[in-house]
Amino acid sequence: MKTVAVYSTKGGVGKTTAAVNLAWQASRECRVLLWDLDPQGASTYVLNVKARVKGGVDSLIRGKTEMDAAIRSTAYANLDVLPADETYRRLELALDAAKKSTQRFAKMLESVSDHYDVVILDCPPGASLVATNALHAADLAVVPLVPSPLSLRSLAQVNEIIEVSDRPPKVFAFLSMVDRRKLVHRSAAELLPQEHPQVIDIVVPATVVIERMGAERAPIGAYAPGSEAARVFAQLWDYVRSSSKVKRGSL
Ligand SMILES: Nc1ncnc2c1ncn2[C@@H]1O[C@H](COP(=O)(O)OP(=O)(O)O)[C@@H](O)[C@H]1O
Ligand SMILES: [Mg+2]
């Protein structure tokens, strides 16, 4: 089982969008768990999963609720979700109270490692213990960058966190929400991959097709399979699969 954290210190950059679409794309060829770690529960909502965690997140972190009991299936084959509800606001505190508090997610995921080929972590923004846990558990961290002069700062912050980790994941970033009508966006999409080795040249466009995901409550590949956006997320999944060495076609 490989673990992929979709992470940035910033909010509103396209983490949930990438996590949901990567998870859906992955589920077409292997067994996938998407873990929604954000109390806003956006990926839980998009995949139409009931947002209640029995006993709350504290119980899950303490091991009183089994991971298996909290995981829900979705309308899509091979795609399960570990949903977030509002108790995830206490996740930071719950982790802080746990033994080996930076390694808790990794430990919890061990219990489902026979059931899934890939776990995708939809991380909340911030550089807290939640982030440390996600990055410790991850084999690969995927960082969406919005095209702005400051965008590399959030990538630098990811690198700072993993610098002190005894189990650093591989890291790559991609440009998200790129509006090709804007010069700043076009030049960021062209220059960042050339100038920064961690930025790949897969670019997610800013489009209404992607914006519609919250209303459709479905992955883009399910409601707009022929769109450019669907194609780009398929490419992104190919890149993630080969970087994290998820076995191809393990179904
Ligand atoms: N490429 C895109 N084009 C248009 N809208 C987007 C795009 N990516 C994300 N959005 C919208 O921007 C908002 C934030 O995206 P989201 O994926 O939830 O970010 P995060 O998880 O980083 O907070 C959402 O309303 C989403 O629909
Ligand atoms: Mg999100």
Side-chain angles (χ1 to χ4, degrees):
M1 185 183 81
K2 300 292 181 183
T3 302
V4 177
V6 184
Y7 174 68
S8 167
T9 50
K10 283 171 69 115
V13 293
K15 294 183 296 297
T16 294
T17 302
V20 168
N21 290 293
L22 282 172
W24 179 81
Q25 195 67 45
S27 72
R28 306 185 74 196
E29 54 186 84
C30 55
R31 299 165 303 166
V32 185
L33 174 65
L34 174 62
W35 189 353
D36 188 351
L37 289 163
D38 192 324
Q40 297 199 359
S43 49
T44 300
Y45 178 84
V46 167
L47 290 171
N48 245 311
V49 168
K50 197 170 143 204
R52 205 174 111 66
V53 183
K54 201 163 156 259
V57 79
D58 316 73
S59 178
L60 192 65
I61 295 293
R62 285 207 307 269
K64 295 224 159 130
T65 299
E66 300 280 342
M67 293 284 275
D68 272 344
I71 290 171
R72 305 265 172 262
S73 54
T74 66
Y76 309 96
N78 308 309
L79 175 54
D80 290 351
V81 172
L82 183 50
D85 64 8
E86 70 290 339
T87 66
Y88 267 67
R89 293 190 200 293
R90 298 198 300 267
L91 177 54
E92 187 71 20
L93 288 173
L95 284 170
D96 199 38
K99 278 188 223 133
K100 295 200 176 162
S101 63
T102 59
Q103 297 168 27
R104 199 63 206 123
F105 289 177
K107 189 79 196 155
M108 291 161 80
L109 285 169
E110 275 174 20
S111 71
V112 295
S113 64
D114 287 342
H115 307 186
Y116 298 102
D117 301 304
V118 56
V119 176
I120 297 192
L121 305 177
D122 181 10
C123 297
S128 57
L129 200 46
V130 179
T132 315
N133 260 275
L135 294 170
H136 178 85
D139 299 287
L140 179 68
V142 177
V143 184
L145 299 179
V146 290
S148 91
L150 285 177
S151 62
L152 283 178
R153 266 207 52 72
S154 45
L155 182 55
Q157 286 163 338
V158 179
N159 288 322
E160 276 163 29
I161 298 174
I162 64 169
E163 229 164 58
V164 294
S165 171
D166 51 2
R167 193 183 173 279
K170 284 194 209 172
V171 177
F172 78 78
F174 67 92
L175 282 147
S176 167
M177 304 187 185
V178 172
D179 182 348
R180 294 203 178 272
R181 290 168 304 184
K182 295 182 181 157
L183 178 62
V184 204
H185 285 208
R186 282 203 307 277
S187 58
E190 191 181 327
L191 292 176
L192 286 182
Q194 289 172 22
E195 289 172 353
H196 202 293
Q198 286 178 313
V199 183
I200 64 169
D201 64 0
I202 294 175
V203 171
V204 175
T207 74
V208 287
V209 174
I210 296 179
E211 236 176 272
R212 253 171 54 206
M213 200 171 76
E216 299 278 353
R217 297 187 76 175
I220 294 157
Y223 66 84
S227 63
E228 185 196 356
R231 210 161 48 240
V232 169
F233 283 115
Q235 266 178 21
L236 194 62
W237 163 245
D238 280 343
Y239 194 92
V240 167
R241 186 192 49 226
S242 51
S243 323
S244 60
K245 302 204 168 64
V246 173
K247 281 198 211 96
R248 180 161 212 159
S250 32
L251 277 183

